[in-house]
Amino acid sequence: MLPRNAFFFLSLIIIGTLSIITLRGIAITYAQTQLFFYFLGLIVIYLTSSKSLTWWKKTSWIWYLGTVLLILLTVITGSLTPRAVSSFEIGAYPFQPSEFVKPVVLLLLAERITRENLYSWTGRMKAFIIVVLPILLILLQPDFGTAVTIIIGIAAFYLLLRPPQKLTLALLLGTIVLF
């Protein structure tokens, strides 16, 4: 089964292949490592795009809990990089679970929006808990850059919902106070 957007997949193959050829001319060791991750990425993209939106919505909580547990595991047993414990080693490669939080949190928020009203008090509190838990764990590493990236993604997502202005101002002031 081809991914939903074959043009996108073909573009990734062409750009990735040209990048590896270019990198090979600079440093063959890096090109070999990049080639491994390139093929791994293509497989992941193919597998994720072959699943239906309904499947992603049904499994969003599983992905969320899995990423939160991986971040917690990283905080407990992660390898120390300069100033942060944000990854652990799988073989010779570092693995950073916080990178998976970015799409997974947005996926779960999108699923929640289709189920309940985020303008209600309970809807807002559920969304807040979904967002804050992984961000707090990431800040414990401490990985401030990843936490800010997630917050910016969530803010963009939130603004697409066209929220009430009073709520937006309150969240903006709360964010300023936190940072």
Side-chain angles (χ1 to χ4, degrees):
M1 170 191 263
L2 280 175
R4 285 185 183 77
N5 193 339
F7 177 74
F8 172 73
F9 196 67
L10 184 61
S11 298
L12 286 176
I13 291 171
I14 292 170
I15 292 170
T17 303
L18 291 174
S19 298
I20 290 171
I21 291 170
T22 303
L23 187 58
R24 185 176 179 270
I26 299 169
I28 194 151
T29 314
Y30 293 136
Q32 291 170 340
T33 304
Q34 190 67 25
L35 185 64
F36 169 75
F37 285 109
Y38 171 68
F39 282 119
L40 181 65
L42 286 177
I43 291 167
V44 169
I45 289 169
Y46 179 78
L47 292 175
T48 56
S49 64
S50 65
K51 294 294 183 184
S52 69
L53 183 58
T54 306
W55 184 86
W56 284 108
K57 287 168 74 173
K58 286 181 183 176
T59 61
S60 60
W61 275 105
I62 296 168
W63 293 105
Y64 177 79
L65 292 174
T67 55
V68 168
L69 288 174
L70 281 172
I71 293 171
L72 189 58
L73 180 67
T74 305
V75 169
I76 295 168
T77 65
S79 59
L80 186 63
T81 58
R83 298 188 192 135
V85 181
S86 59
S87 64
F88 53 90
E89 302 291 324
I90 296 180
Y93 302 107
F95 175 69
Q96 190 172 1
S98 59
E99 290 300 316
F100 294 102
V101 170
K102 298 169 189 175
V104 168
V105 167
L106 293 176
L107 173 70
L108 186 57
L109 283 177
E111 190 273 334
R112 295 282 27 150
I113 287 170
T114 61
R115 289 183 176 252
E116 59 185 280
N117 180 7
L118 287 185
Y119 298 117
S120 69
W121 175 251
T122 58
R124 279 187 256 159
M125 289 312 296
K126 287 178 184 178
F128 180 76
I129 291 168
I130 288 169
V131 168
V132 166
L133 179 61
I135 289 175
L136 287 176
L137 288 173
I138 290 169
L139 287 173
L140 283 175
Q141 294 177 350
D143 189 355
F144 188 71
T146 300
V148 168
T149 303
I150 293 168
I151 291 169
I152 290 170
I154 291 166
F157 183 80
Y158 175 76
L159 291 174
L160 288 173
L161 297 174
R162 296 196 177 137
Q165 288 181 343
K166 288 181 182 178
L167 180 60
T168 303
L169 286 174
L171 288 172
L172 181 63
L173 288 175
T175 304
I176 290 170
V177 168
L178 281 174
F179 292 106

